[in-house]
Amino acid sequence: MVRDRVVEAVSYLVLLAAWQLAAIAYSSPWLVGPLEIARVFADKVFLAKLVDAYLLTAMRALTGFALGLVAGLGLGVLAGMVALRLGGVLEKLSAIIASVPSVAWIPLLIALLGTDEFRLPVAASFLCSFPPILYQVFSALRSVDPEEVAVAQTLGAEGMYLWRTIILPKVLEKLFPAVKVESVMTWKTVFAAEMVAVPSGLGYLAMLYADLLDVAHVAAIVFVLTATVAVFVSLASRFEKRVLAKRGLGERSWQSISMYAAREY
C-alpha cells in the first residue's frame, strides 16, 4: 500500500518536472509551467478573488447536486416500491434526458430563468445529476437478485424491513459509481454556465483572464477546479467503502473473503 503511494507520488513528480522542462525549452507565453502557475497563487489580490469565486461555484454545484441526488434516489425508490408501471415510464424518460449533454440545457435555462446568478447554475447542476441518478436507481433495482429477495421473504422479511435490509443496500452498491461521476459533472456544468451566462464564480473569473490572454491565471483556476474534483471523488470513494463495508458489500468485503479463504487454505 505504501509502496503504491510512493510510486504514484514519484510518477506525478516526474510528470510535473517534464512539464516544467517543456515550458522552459519551448519558451512561449502560451505554455506555462507549474512554477509559473504556483507564483500566481502568491498574488493576494488574485487569491481573494479566487476564494470568493470558488465559494460561489461550490455553493451552486453542491446545492444542485444535493437536490438531484435526493430527488433521483427518492423518486426512483418510491416508484420501485409503489408504482412499477410509472417506474418504467420514468426510467425511459430519465435515460433520454440523461443522454443529452448537460451543457446543452444552458441556453434553454437562460430563456426560462434568465441569467439569475443562483437559479441558473443550480438548475443546470440539478439537470446534470437528477436524470442519470434516477436512471441508475432503476438499473440497480433490476439487478437485485429475485431469489435473494424470495429467501428473505421466506424468513419473514417484508415491507420496509425488506427494502432497508436487502434491496436498498444493493441499490446503493450500484448507485455509488454513478453518484461519483455525476458529482464531477455538476462542477463542470456549473463552471460552463458561469463562463457563458453568470457574471460570477470560477468560470466567469477564468473568462476574465482568458480575455486578457493571461494563461497562467486561467491555468491556476483550472487547477483549483481539477483539485476540487479529485478530492471530492476521493472522499466519495472512502464514504462508499465505509457504507458498503458495514453491509458486507463492496471492495472491502471481498478482500475480507479472500483473506479468510487464504487463511482456511
Side-chain angles (χ1 to χ4, degrees), residues 10-220:
V10 171
S11 300
Y12 288 139
L13 290 175
V14 170
L15 288 174
L16 289 174
W19 178 9
Q20 184 62 47
L21 290 174
I24 294 173
Y26 192 60
S27 185
S28 168
W30 309 113
L31 179 60
V32 295
L35 293 179
E36 288 77 5
I37 297 174
R39 292 191 190 101
V40 167
F41 290 102
D43 183 354
K44 293 182 179 180
V45 175
F46 168 72
L47 199 57
K49 293 179 180 179
L50 182 65
V51 171
D52 291 340
Y54 181 85
L55 292 176
L56 287 173
T57 300
M59 178 184 65
R60 294 160 180 165
L62 295 177
T63 300
F65 173 71
L67 292 174
L69 176 61
V70 172
L73 181 59
L75 183 58
V77 171
L78 182 63
M81 291 177 65
V82 300
L84 296 179
R85 292 184 180 180
L86 177 61
V89 175
L90 289 174
E91 182 179 8
K92 293 177 181 178
L93 287 175
S94 62
I96 294 172
I97 297 174
S99 65
V100 179
S102 55
V103 294
W105 296 107
I106 294 177
L108 178 60
L109 291 175
I110 293 174
L112 293 175
L113 304 175
T115 55
D116 185 271
E117 293 189 29
F118 182 76
R119 290 190 301 168
L120 175 61
V122 169
S125 177
F126 176 81
L127 284 175
C128 174
S129 57
F130 170 62
I133 289 176
L134 178 60
Y135 176 77
Q136 189 63 32
V137 170
F138 289 125
S139 178
L141 287 172
R142 286 201 314 271
S143 69
V144 176
D145 188 357
E147 293 185 2
E148 185 176 352
V149 174
V151 171
Q153 289 175 327
T154 301
L155 296 174
E158 58 183 21
M160 287 301 300
Y161 181 79
L162 176 65
W163 275 84
R164 182 168 55 85
T165 59
I166 302 298
I167 300 177
L168 283 181
K170 295 292 185 181
V171 171
L172 288 176
E173 185 178 23
K174 300 292 183 180
L175 186 63
F176 266 115
V179 169
K180 287 187 287 187
V181 171
E182 297 312 318
S183 68
V184 172
M185 294 304 298
T186 53
W187 282 88
K188 294 181 179 181
T189 301
V190 171
F191 190 86
E194 293 169 345
M195 289 177 64
V196 301
V198 180
S200 59
L202 287 178
Y204 177 73
L205 188 63
M207 288 303 297
L208 288 180
Y209 285 106
D211 290 339
L212 298 174
L213 303 180
D214 192 333
V215 179
H217 281 81
V218 174

